[in-house]
């Protein structure tokens, strides 16, 4: 009789290398997320405090750059097209690594998070379309609520003091990586109007040269940084959004390790560039893009205008329903069993957390309504308010499970034998159990010595108590 194939685990324990990679990546993103949150608050204060609000628009509208190269851009434009190229470069490396060495390298393991991410983009878009069809609004902003901002989501976790188990962190990271991929495709396909084929051809030639130098083993930042800047400038002048150059170069890096390598080139460069992306590029973009008017009238407009209401509902309702529903349906039809340490409310909490769509949503909002500054700002306000509501809902759901998460996280990090490897990964190794037996034997011997040393004192104390008890009053 054939042995039945065991059901595949969903949100099961990660391998040790993958767990460490996820922890390191998210640690940097958490710091960046806090800086992003600070930058967003600073932008809102700068744009709304009377007396200094006018200077906000003056500063972000200040132009700088060589006009002869078509790069005489405002600071806001430099942040959106220049600094975010660094963000998308890191996203490209993350995607490449996930495809060759991470969760996306196994088609069966990748099915659930990919389906969840796709549903988490499709349903918010459908919610936006439905709201604007009923309200006779503009369909141009359908892509705004489709994005997830993992840095902002991690900042929320840091602020509320909740730590997710590694499986949920990896699920959130994979969702964000797939989300970034499709956001890039949306920007490239739907927000490219006129193309300068000469500049685009130059960018392609530059990318081919970039790939050739990588494959021939040429090293040195002084080679790649000028080349990357040239590729970016050509891509910008081609009419294709310049951030596409960043992700294209990120995808070209090798993310598999050769014999004797501790880190692949992609991992090494990501380790160097991620702090620049999370700590400088994204916060500066937030500083120059998140400053919108939040008067009573503008806030009321968010909930009455179909374009802005569609964004809010898309982020808060569409993301949650899409990711949770897509995950549940995929698990049901693939017969994947949920990790016994977790429950479906945990997936719901992560789905609601993914409704925070700050950075890329703001970028798409700028691209969707370039000719209507008032509507653009209202859509940005909707992104801020929708992300805030999603963060509050997620915080409540996550706090309800905080005790469980802390217990799981402590179990994942426990290293009683102090060998640098968490004990949970050594349960099938005889050497580990022998080390633990020796540790416990030494502890038992120490306790016996302490008991023997304390025994005479206890006896004397007991005798003194007895003598005292027989003494007449």
């Amino acid at each position: 009789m054939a042995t039945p194939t065991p059901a595949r685990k969903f949100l099961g324990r990660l391998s040790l290398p993958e767990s460490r990679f996820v922890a390191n990546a998210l640690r940097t993103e958490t710091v960046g997320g806090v800086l992003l949150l600070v930058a967003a608050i600073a932008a809102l204060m700068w744009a709304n405090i009377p007396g200094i609000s006018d200077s906000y628009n003056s500063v972000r509208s200040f132009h700088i750059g060589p006009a002869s190269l078509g790069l005489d851009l405002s600071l806001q434009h430099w942040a959106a097209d220049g600094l975010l190229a660094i963000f998308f470069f890191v996203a490209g490396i993350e995607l490449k690594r996930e495809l060759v060495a991470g969760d996306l390298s196994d088609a069966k393991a990748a099915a659930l998070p990919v389906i969840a991410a796709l549903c988490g983009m499709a349903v918010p878009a459908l919610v936006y379309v439905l709201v604007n069809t009923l309200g006779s609004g503009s369909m141009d902003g359908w892509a705004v609520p489709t994005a997830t901002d993992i840095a902002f989501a991690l900042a929320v976790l840091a602020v509320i003091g909740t730590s997710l188990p590694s499986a949920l962190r990896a699920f959130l990271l994979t969702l964000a990586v797939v989300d970034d991929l499709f956001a890039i495709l949306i920007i490239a396909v739907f927000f490219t109007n006129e193309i300068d084929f000469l500049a685009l051809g130059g960018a392609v030639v530059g990318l081919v040269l970039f790939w050739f130098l990588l494959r021939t083993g040429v090293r040195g930042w002084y080679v790649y940084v000028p080349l990357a800047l040239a590729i970016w400038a050509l891509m910008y002048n081609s009419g294709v959004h310049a951030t596409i150059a960043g992700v294209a170069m990120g995808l070209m890096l090798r993310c598999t390790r050769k014999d004797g390598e501790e880190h692949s080139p992609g991992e090494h460069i990501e380790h160097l560039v991620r702090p620049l992306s999370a700590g400088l590029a994204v916060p500066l973009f937030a500083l120059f893009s998140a400053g919108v008017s939040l008067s009573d009238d503008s806030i009321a407009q968010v909930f009455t205008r179909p374009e802005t209401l569609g964004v809010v509902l898309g982020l808060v309702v569409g993301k949650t329903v899409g990711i949770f529903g897509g995950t549940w349906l995929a698990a049901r039809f693939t017969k994947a069993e949920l990790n016994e340490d977790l429950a479906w409310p945990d997936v719901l909490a992560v789905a609601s957390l993914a409704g925070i769509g700050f950075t890329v949503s703001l970028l798409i909002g700028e691209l969707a309504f370039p000719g209507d500054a008032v509507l653009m700002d209202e859509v940005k306000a909707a992104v801020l308010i929708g992300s805030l509501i999603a963060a509050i809902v997620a915080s409540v759901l996550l706090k309800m499970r905080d005790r469980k998460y802390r217990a799981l996280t402590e179990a994942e990090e426990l290293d009683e034998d102090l060998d640098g490897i968490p004990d949970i990964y050594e349960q099938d190794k005889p050497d580990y159990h022998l080390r633990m037996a020796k540790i416990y034997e030494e502890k038992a011997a120490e306790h016996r010595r302490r008991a023997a040393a304390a025994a005479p004192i206890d006896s004397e104390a007991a005798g003194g108590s007895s003598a005292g008890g027989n003494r007449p009053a």
Side-chain angles (χ1 to χ4, degrees), residues 36-270:
L36 177 62
L37 184 59
V38 171
I41 294 172
L44 288 171
M45 293 176 64
W46 191 0
N48 286 276
I49 294 177
I52 63 171
S53 57
D54 291 342
S55 67
Y56 178 76
N57 286 324
S58 298
V59 170
R60 70 175 181 176
S61 300
F62 180 77
H63 278 63
I64 189 173
S68 58
L69 299 178
L71 297 175
D72 181 21
L73 311 177
S74 67
L75 291 182
Q76 182 182 5
H77 211 159
W78 275 112
D81 287 83
L83 293 179
L84 279 195
I86 301 173
F87 166 79
F88 279 107
F89 175 69
V90 174
I93 300 174
E94 286 178 341
L95 177 61
K96 178 68 173 290
R97 188 196 166 279
E98 287 290 322
L99 288 170
V100 300
D103 287 345
L104 300 181
S105 61
D106 179 355
K108 291 183 178 179
L112 262 70
V114 169
I115 291 172
L118 288 175
C119 291
M121 298 186 79
V123 176
L126 290 173
V127 168
Y128 180 93
V129 169
L130 178 62
V131 170
N132 282 271
T133 299
L134 296 175
S136 301
S138 170
M139 295 297 177
D140 293 343
W142 65 270
V144 175
T146 61
T148 292
D149 193 318
I150 190 170
F152 216 125
L154 293 171
V156 170
L157 293 178
V159 169
I160 66 175
T162 296
S163 122
L164 289 179
S166 61
L168 286 176
R169 283 180 286 163
F171 181 58
L172 182 61
L173 179 60
T174 305
L175 283 176
V177 169
V178 177
D179 195 286
D180 286 341
L181 168 64
F182 284 95
I184 291 160
L185 292 176
I186 287 171
I187 291 170
V189 174
F190 295 98
F191 296 105
T192 298
N193 297 320
E194 297 180 3
I195 296 180
D196 182 333
F197 287 99
L198 182 61
L200 182 60
V204 171
V205 170
L207 288 170
V208 171
L209 178 58
F210 188 88
W211 176 86
F212 177 77
L213 293 174
L214 288 172
R215 289 300 173 271
T216 53
V218 175
R219 296 186 178 185
W221 64 268
Y222 46 84
V223 174
Y224 291 102
V225 171
L227 178 58
L229 291 174
I231 293 170
W232 173 86
L234 287 166
M235 188 69 75
Y236 174 81
N237 281 289
S238 74
V240 177
H241 200 270
T243 54
I244 305 301
V247 74
M249 287 183 279
L251 286 169
M252 290 181 182
L253 293 173
R254 176 169 61 83
C255 292
T256 53
R257 301 178 189 178
K258 293 182 178 180
D259 292 340
E261 284 186 339
E262 185 177 354
H263 302 289
S264 67
E267 291 172 324
H268 176 66
I269 293 173
E270 181 185 14

